Amino acid sequence: MKKSFIVANWKSNKTSAEAKVWLEELRVSEGNTIILCPAFTLLSDSKSYIIDHNLPVKLGSQDISPFEAGAYTGEVNGLQIKDYAEYVLIGHSERRTHFTETDDLVREKSKRALEAGLVPILCVQDVSVVPEGVKIVAYEPVFAIGTGNPDTPENADKVAREIKEKNSHVKQVLYGGSVTSGNIKSFVEMESINGVLVGKASLDAQEFSLIVNNVS
Ligand code: PGA
């Protein structure tokens, strides 16, 4: 049985009170790698809750500064993130669209993440060139994000395989885009797919618990 990565991307949602309720309601067992990516403001409390309650959940941030520590108002750098998280999402299509992130910026962010000892989860929309050192990629076709219209498992598997063929350093490719408890299994059972990145369906603790428990 292969072990899957299941990433919850809360995007710009939840207050600290709402995050606490979600963590209280989560019902998941050990086995797969569950990674919660909340807003920066929620990382500290989430970390404490996870440790105190011995939850099988790791943390990731949703972004990272392309710079080291210094005079960059509003930015959160890799070492600051490392205090709380092990993973970092980089290059999500919403950042590329709303904040005009370019491939060059994404490369800089990946570099900073690796320097800080974080694991980058690099989001791509197609079979792209992935920077050296990045071992986890999330294939997220724009048409599937937040639309209720996921890619087919067969096509996602094909893209995942091609990403690995093009980038021999990439060992894990996740699929993201309208993943739910109803379709998770069809993606994770594909040969080249190593897990999923879940947006909307991760906001509800019961639905996310079902997603995790439906993997196997
Ligand atoms: P979605 O988002 O699950 O709401 O489609 C996925 C993502 O943006 O990572």
Side-chain angles (χ1 to χ4, degrees):
M1 201 44 224
K2 75 176 177 186
K3 206 172 149 180
S4 297
F5 288 81
I6 305 154
V7 184
N9 175 13
W10 281 355
K11 310 189 179 184
S12 189
N13 290 292
K14 294 198 191 293
T15 61
S16 49
E18 289 166 346
K20 182 164 182 279
V21 170
W22 189 94
L23 287 164
E24 284 166 357
E25 290 178 356
L26 188 68
R27 294 284 175 273
V28 290
S29 49
E30 312 251 356
N32 297 295
T33 303
I34 303 165
I35 304 165
L36 171 63
C37 299
F40 284 125
T41 53
L42 304 172
L43 281 172
S44 175
D45 282 359
S46 301
K47 182 180 178 186
S48 302
Y49 190 97
I50 287 166
I51 291 172
D52 292 349
H53 295 81
N54 206 12
L55 286 187
V57 176
K58 297 177 183 301
L59 285 171
S61 67
Q62 296 175 13
D63 193 18
I64 181 171
S65 172
F67 301 106
E68 293 172 351
Y72 305 104
T73 302
E75 290 296 294
V76 182
N77 71 57
L79 289 178
Q80 293 174 314
I81 295 168
K82 192 70 180 21
D83 278 344
Y84 303 103
E86 292 172 61
Y87 295 83
V88 52
L89 295 177
I90 297 178
H92 191 281
S93 69
E94 286 154 9
R95 296 214 56 84
R96 294 180 194 254
T97 305
H98 301 299
F99 304 95
T100 56
E101 281 198 5
T102 60
D103 285 345
D104 281 349
L105 191 61
V106 165
R107 249 192 307 279
E108 279 310 299
K109 291 186 172 191
S110 303
K111 221 155 76 184
R112 293 283 104 83
L114 292 166
E115 281 168 7
L118 293 162
V119 178
I121 303 174
L122 188 86
C123 303
V124 299
Q125 280 83 55
D126 47 32
V127 184
S128 311
V129 175
V130 176
E132 275 303 321
V134 175
K135 297 200 170 79
I136 302 186
V137 167
Y139 161 58
E140 298 211 306
V142 175
F143 67 81
I145 296 179
T147 59
N149 176 31
D151 201 347
T152 62
E154 292 73 21
N155 190 59
D157 188 52
K158 178 171 172 280
V159 175
R161 190 175 59 245
E162 288 174 6
I163 290 171
K164 287 176 182 170
E165 281 167 3
K166 194 169 183 152
N167 303 277
S168 58
H169 52 288
V170 172
K171 303 299 176 205
Q172 278 99 20
V173 178
L174 317 184
Y175 166 73
S178 298
V179 171
T180 64
S181 59
N183 63 26
I184 170 103
K185 214 175 158 93
S186 65
F187 288 104
V188 293
E189 67 191 15
M190 287 289 158
E191 196 181 333
S192 299
I193 296 179
N194 304 94
V196 288
L197 207 164
V198 189
K200 195 164 171 217
S202 74
L203 292 174
D204 181 85
Q206 273 95 26
E207 168 67 0
F208 188 69
S209 301
L210 263 184
I211 287 175
V212 173
N213 295 325
N214 283 356
V215 165
S216 45

